Amino acid sequence: SGTTLDYISFSTNADQKFEFFIKNLSLHVDKLLKSHSHLKLAGIGVGCPNVDARSGKLVSPPNLGWGNIDIQKAFETTFSGPIFFGND
């Protein structure tokens, strides 16, 4: 358990490919990390539609049109530390 110190919210731009989203997200997360550089990151929490939290797969989210994506792999490749997924 921990305390949420900050969060971000931005447009998903569902008309763009997933790769655009993950790059955009990375820029936002980097900005947050820099603003809290004196702290150690405990983890990243992600809420997204139709995610299977056990497998880390995003299963054809109806409002995004991205198809099936191994979102866990994409996040582990982009970010370090624990990543937690929940159905949004």
Side-chain angles (χ1 to χ4, degrees):
S1 81
T3 302
T4 301
L5 299 177
D6 212 336
Y7 70 95
I8 56 173
S9 178
F10 62 94
S11 176
T12 306
N13 294 317
D15 57 325
Q16 299 288 328
K17 292 184 178 189
F18 176 76
E19 292 77 15
F20 173 84
F21 165 76
I22 200 80
K23 185 173 184 177
N24 193 21
L25 176 64
S26 178
L27 294 173
H28 287 290
V29 170
D30 284 344
K31 191 183 298 184
L32 280 176
L33 293 175
K34 285 178 184 170
S35 69
H36 299 285
S37 62
H38 60 287
L39 299 172
K40 181 180 178 202
L41 178 67
I44 297 175
V46 181
C48 47
N50 285 12
V51 69
D52 179 339
R54 285 188 223 162
S55 71
K57 306 279 191 230
L58 190 58
V59 183
S60 295
N63 57 331
L64 299 175
W66 290 338
N68 296 334
I69 293 179
D70 188 342
I71 194 166
Q72 183 168 341
K73 182 177 179 182
F75 273 69
E76 287 174 348
T77 302
T78 306
F79 306 107
S80 61
I83 302 168
F84 306 93
F85 296 95
N87 196 18
D88 181 357

